[in-house]
Amino acid sequence: MGPSDAELKRLAQRVGAHLRKARRHAAAAESCTGGWIAKALTDIAGSSDWFVEGFVTYSNESKVRQLGVPRAILRRHGAVSEATVRAMAAGALRRSRAAIAVAVTGIAGPGGAVPGKPVGTVWLGWARRGSGAIRVTTALRRFRGDRETVRRKSVRAALQGLLTR
């Protein structure tokens, strides 16, 4: 079982308080979470002070069109890969006025698994502006559970990552 709605709300409140205090804005680029990160953040009153934009890029074409993910990365590495999540996070930052962006792409199931990428495989990325460059950090997670559980755990990991970056 994944995190409860109450846990996600508390985490989103902490993210919002942190961003407000730092006077920074965040953006999200989502695939397997389908906008759930943006929902969790915008459920918090006053989120317009620190959340600027969400990109739901479920298809490869939308990753290319909305975030500028190079087609070559998608062909070479696939949608669920470190290279893709790096490009998604950097693209969300470039296409918004955010100081930090979170990105997620994964296989929530029940289908979609391929060799080396079982259901529950999720790549997360966080991009930050700094010294004229964009810095991206990534994390690979292998979550157990059904589709909703994998997605809930992905949202929690994305929000936790915003707190530590």
Side-chain angles (χ1 to χ4, degrees):
M1 182 149 180
S4 68
D5 289 343
E7 180 183 344
L8 293 177
K9 183 174 185 174
R10 284 190 301 273
L11 195 51
Q13 287 170 326
R14 289 180 55 209
V15 169
H18 179 75
L19 289 167
R20 182 178 286 116
K21 183 177 179 181
R23 297 180 185 218
R24 298 197 178 254
H25 295 91
E30 305 181 61
S31 189
C32 68
T33 50
W36 202 334
I37 297 166
K39 180 205 180 307
L41 293 172
T42 59
D43 278 350
I44 307 307
S47 58
S48 60
D49 292 341
W50 43 266
F51 183 75
V52 293
E53 197 156 3
F55 302 88
V56 177
T57 57
Y58 207 70
S59 71
N60 284 354
E61 184 56 36
S62 66
K63 288 173 182 63
V64 171
R65 186 173 28 80
Q66 291 187 53
L67 300 172
V69 174
R71 290 181 196 281
I73 285 177
L74 292 164
R75 276 193 304 273
R76 188 174 305 122
H77 303 283
V80 180
S81 66
E82 182 178 21
T84 296
V85 85
R86 279 183 175 282
M88 288 173 67
L93 208 57
R94 284 188 193 99
R95 295 179 182 211
S96 72
R97 63 181 181 90
I100 188 168
V102 59
V104 63
T105 184
I107 304 168
V114 297
K117 297 179 186 178
V119 169
T121 301
V122 177
W123 276 100
L124 298 118
W126 299 269
R128 293 182 332 172
R129 297 181 195 278
S131 304
I134 293 177
R135 294 193 174 131
V136 181
T137 57
T138 61
L140 172 63
R141 298 287 187 265
R142 302 227 190 241
F143 296 125
R144 292 186 179 273
D146 63 12
R147 181 177 182 80
E148 178 157 340
T149 300
V150 168
R151 294 174 77 213
R152 283 181 176 277
K153 289 178 179 180
S154 298
V155 172
R156 177 176 57 197
L159 296 174
Q160 288 171 331
L162 284 172
L163 282 175
T164 62
R165 286 162 176 87

